[in-house]
Amino acid sequence: MAAAVAATTSSDINSMSTSSTKRSAVPSLSFFKDWTYVPAPESSDHIHLKDQYGLFINGEFVRPHSKRYFDTINPATEKKIAEIADADEKDVDAAVTAAANASAKIWKRMPGKERSKYIYRIARMIQERAREFAVIETMDGGKPIRESRDVDVPLAANHFFYYAGWADKLDYAFPNRRPQPLGVAGQIIPWNFPLLMAAWKIAPALACGNTVVLKPAETTSLTALKLAEIIQESGLPAGVVNIVTGFGKTGAAIVNHPGVNKVAFTGSTDVGKIIQKAIAGTGKKATLELGGKAANIVFDDAPIDQAVEGIVNGIFFNQGHVCCAGSRLLVQEGVAEIVIRKLKDRMETLIVGDPMDKNTDIGAINSKEQLKKINEYISIGVNEGAELYQSSCTLPSKGFFCKPTLFLNTSQSHRLVQEEIFGPVLAVQTFRTVEEAIEKANNIPYGLSAGIWTDKGSKIFNMTSKMRAGVVWANTYNKFDPTSPFGGYKESGYGREGGLHGLLPYVQW
Ligand code: NAP
Ligand code: MG
């Protein structure tokens, strides 16, 4: 019921404010602010969590050699959820040894059609436990339950389904090339899409006959550990997937281990550079999926209301914790005023708060450190002379939260425009011509994604061929599918994940 009200409300706002003359005849925003939603919290009584998690090595949960554990907390409440093992070099060595044995003795010899049955089974089990995964993802990472339920978990299952389909068809994917597995893949993932990133990494590796040592980010290990439980139940041979938890040094131990044949990393450009240096000359293959600073480009012939929804989805979705977030808005001068006014109106209606509430649009920032970083960037923006606008919502007193934030009057040299913030902060610039839009969109160190909003197909094709971005969405934003490749240009990394392209980094000829 509440969701239906929300949908009507937002489209009403859009249609009502199409022209400034019409707008005076409609209720002001305070009308909408008077609407309060009845809380609709998702229950957490159906989930199973242990107080303490060991490392998943060779098919068993084991105590870490270091005997050290660290706490994982709920960023919306700051309460401890569980203790996670802190793996040291000896643990990583045990995991890599298990993966190498499983590769040599079982997995790379197993016919593709048999491997595919295991991968398919994992996909089905994720679906069966989808509700539990969604709740744990939200509790551990802070993202709204609507997103973990409708985006992260279904997409994670879809990745396993999709790559299960490829496992016995590699000879068709690469005709006449006789693809062979690489061996052990060391995989390191960030905290913004914990289960989904694990699926992006594990599914294609297994499909191609590789074994895996995966490290989740320290603040969001729980869904990877739940995935380990599923993997154990699925009967996947021991050692094919190993999950080691810990901090950056655990990741470094994986990267530097001589038994690792391929490194797949998703995370910051800074750590990507460290990894690139570490593996130089070792012969290890690598894919690096790094940062981004995408431009959402709105032309004056764009469907304005849809564009505003797309902008909101692009930057406020998942608190802006999205590598391909549309963190810059480039709007053509003729429509800048109306787009910004509608955007401000829409920001007012966004609900910031309890991520477990099904009405929530913007949940908790993943950690105290990340919130500090975002707030530092907000101060930088103000000091650089940009004009700050934040919604008037009240933030919860506990937990890590940030208001949806807009910066107007930014210029290309501003740090707000050049640097990745990884929070719900949008930098707005205007442009006059297509050439200026392309120039501004490309003039940053990153090249992961972009969005184009226009009525003209020819303009879309012209832009996409000139944009230095791995993914360009047209008249939509943040849409993912296991069949499409994803990856970056420039400092956004190299290699592609997803689709047929996503098999390539896991095979040799
Ligand atoms: P991060 O600090 O680079 O961490 C990513 C992972 O690397 C974590 O598991 C981290 O462990 C580990 N790590 C840290 N130092 C390491 C080292 N020296 N050697 C090996 N591993 C190390 O990134 P983050 O803050 O978690 O994630 C945000 C970043 O990821 C953003 O820049 C975002 O754009 C990027 N990202 C990119 C994509 C893409 O597909 N291009 C997708 C999602 C996110 P700990 O966290 O435990 O320290
Ligand atoms: Mg946590």
Side-chain angles (χ1 to χ4, degrees), residues 188-192 197 200 215-218 246-248 251-252 255 265-269 271 274-275 289-292 323 420 422 448 486 492:
I188 299 159
I189 56 173
W191 43 259
N192 58 344
M197 288 296 125
W200 274 31
K215 188 195 95 69
E218 100 230 5
F247 296 81
V255 170
F265 173 76
T266 298
S268 61
T269 298
V271 175
I274 296 173
I275 291 177
E289 301 280 5
L290 309 175
C323 50
E420 185 182 48
F422 226 55
L448 193 57
F486 184 88
S492 292

Side-chain angles (χ1 to χ4, degrees), residues 174-191:
F174 308 109
N176 303 321
R177 303 196 72 179
R178 305 208 311 139
Q180 302 296 316
L182 300 169
V184 178
Q187 309 184 319
I188 299 159
I189 56 173
W191 43 259

Side-chain angles (χ1 to χ4, degrees), residues 115-132:
R115 287 202 306 270
S116 116
K117 288 179 195 167
Y118 286 106
I119 306 170
Y120 188 85
R121 196 177 298 161
I122 294 168
R124 290 287 292 123
M125 291 172 82
I126 293 175
Q127 282 188 321
E128 282 161 17
R129 308 256 291 264
R131 203 165 152 225
E132 188 180 10

